[in-house]
């Protein structure tokens, strides 16, 4: 119980709790619709998802500035691939959040906002940010794979590398670098959400809800266990 209170007192931790409830509600609404539940049940679950989604937009106010600071830090990284992917990713995330703030003002009636247009704009920035983060995750796994092959070559210098050796090196890299592996799965699941919203992939709200649930749980795991968080990120 103490661990839960400690986690929920963290702003990022609270967001992941609400995010999990949001996408669980989305999945539950789809599941209820598929199994012929009453329209009232589906409506209640849909309204819960929308209410939490709007609340999370409020909680994220000011987070765009944090992303811009992260982008400035990433510029100074020694590794040029990390510097490029993380700088552009954080910049796009900042734009996504900035537009998100604007959409929230429209939802609560402070401004007149074309919700469809600006939601699409926000989704494009978010999608690009996630794609760059996936590239960063794959790069981290590639480095781990190369190190594994180097270790194997030192142990047996005259051996030739075959497909089997490469697959073993990749599997070893996945175990050796769980931070990148978890991050890759998390970002891969998240990509489905804006890609589906933009019509890039054709899927249903059940798949979107499930992907959101998985990525929320993995993000919560990274927050709870800092050793599983990929750095720099």
């Amino acid at each position: 119980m103490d661990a839960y209170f400690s986690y929920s007192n963290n702003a990022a931790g609270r967001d992941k709790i609400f995010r999990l409830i949001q996408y669980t509600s989305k999945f539950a609404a789809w599941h209820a619709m598929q199994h012929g539940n009453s329209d009232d049940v589906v409506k209640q679950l849909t309204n819960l998802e929308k209410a939490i989604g709007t609340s999370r937009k409020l909680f994220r106010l000011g987070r765009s500035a944090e992303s811009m600071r992260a982008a400035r830090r990433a510029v100074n990284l020694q590794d040029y691939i990390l510097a490029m992917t993380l700088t552009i990713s954080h910049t796009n995330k900042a734009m996504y959040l900035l537009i998100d703030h604007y959409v929230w003002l429209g939802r609560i009636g402070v401004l007149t906002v074309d919700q469809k247009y600006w939601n699409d704009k926000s989704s494009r920035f978010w999608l690009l940010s996630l794609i760059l983060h996936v590239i960063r995750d794959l790069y981290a796994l590639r480095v781990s794979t190369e190190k594994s092959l180097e270790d194997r070559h030192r142990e047996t210098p005259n051996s030739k590398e075959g497909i089997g050796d490469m697959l073993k090196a990749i599997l070893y890299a996945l175990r050796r670098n769980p931070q990148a592996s978890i991050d890759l799965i998390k970002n891969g699941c998240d990509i489905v959400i804006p890609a589906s919203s933009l019509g890039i992939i054709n899927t249903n709200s059940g798949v979107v809800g499930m992907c959101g649930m998985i990525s929320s749980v993995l993000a919560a795991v990274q927050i709870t266990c800092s050793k599983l968080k990929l750095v720099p990120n």
Side-chain angles (χ1 to χ4, degrees):
M1 188 61 71
D2 289 340
Y4 168 76
F5 286 125
S6 177
Y7 175 84
S8 61
N9 284 332
N10 180 297
R14 284 197 304 273
D15 179 67
K16 296 302 174 271
I17 292 172
F18 284 114
R19 190 179 194 270
L20 178 59
I21 297 172
Q22 177 188 354
Y23 284 104
T24 301
S25 301
K26 190 177 191 71
F27 176 80
W30 171 84
H31 188 271
M33 190 181 301
Q34 295 300 308
H35 287 77
N37 289 83
S38 68
D39 291 340
D40 287 340
V41 172
V42 175
K43 186 177 180 181
Q44 287 172 359
L45 290 168
T46 302
N47 288 340
L48 175 61
E49 177 216 336
K50 289 180 179 178
I52 294 177
T54 301
S55 299
R56 288 185 61 233
K57 290 181 186 298
L58 170 61
F59 299 151
R60 290 197 297 262
L61 285 175
R63 295 278 297 278
S64 55
E66 292 180 19
S67 293
M68 285 308 301
R69 283 198 295 269
R72 286 200 299 270
R73 289 195 300 270
V75 171
N76 300 317
L77 292 172
Q78 296 286 329
D79 189 312
Y80 75 93
I81 294 179
L82 290 180
M84 180 183 66
T85 54
L86 289 177
T87 299
I88 300 174
S89 177
H90 286 306
T91 302
N92 276 275
K93 186 177 180 181
M95 292 303 299
Y96 148 65
L97 289 169
L98 190 62
I99 295 173
D100 201 53
H101 304 339
Y102 180 63
V103 169
W104 176 75
L105 291 173
R107 281 196 183 183
I108 64 173
V110 174
L111 298 173
T112 302
V113 176
D114 185 337
Q115 295 281 326
K116 178 68 169 64
Y117 175 81
W118 287 107
N119 272 322
D120 284 352
K121 285 285 187 185
S122 177
S123 293
R124 287 191 181 93
F125 281 116
W126 186 23
L127 179 60
L128 183 54
S129 174
L130 290 170
I131 290 172
L132 286 162
H133 256 92
V134 164
I135 293 172
R136 183 263 182 276
D137 296 334
L138 291 172
Y139 174 67
L141 290 172
R142 178 194 165 189
V143 171
S144 295
T145 302
E146 289 176 347
K147 287 181 179 177
S148 176
L149 289 172
E150 287 173 4
D151 293 342
R152 189 180 297 272
H153 183 69
R154 277 195 297 270
E155 292 173 2
T156 53
N158 297 322
S159 64
K160 293 183 179 179
E161 293 174 5
I163 295 177
D165 292 326
M166 181 62 73
L167 290 174
K168 286 179 182 178
I170 292 172
L171 291 173
Y172 180 70
L174 292 172
R175 294 196 303 268
R176 180 177 181 173
N177 196 342
Q179 297 86 353
S181 302
I182 291 173
D183 214 57
L184 178 61
I185 297 170
K186 181 191 72 176
N187 289 321
C189 288
D190 271 340
I191 280 178
V192 174
I193 301 171
S196 175
S197 175
L198 292 168
I200 296 172
I201 60 174
N202 184 21
T203 188
N204 57 55
S205 58
V207 173
V208 173
M210 180 60 70
C211 288
M213 289 163 62
I214 293 170
S215 64
S216 298
V217 169
L218 292 178
V221 168
Q222 289 180 319
I223 293 171
T224 305
C225 184
S226 58
K227 290 182 179 179
L228 293 177
K229 187 174 179 62
L230 183 63
V231 290
N233 206 339

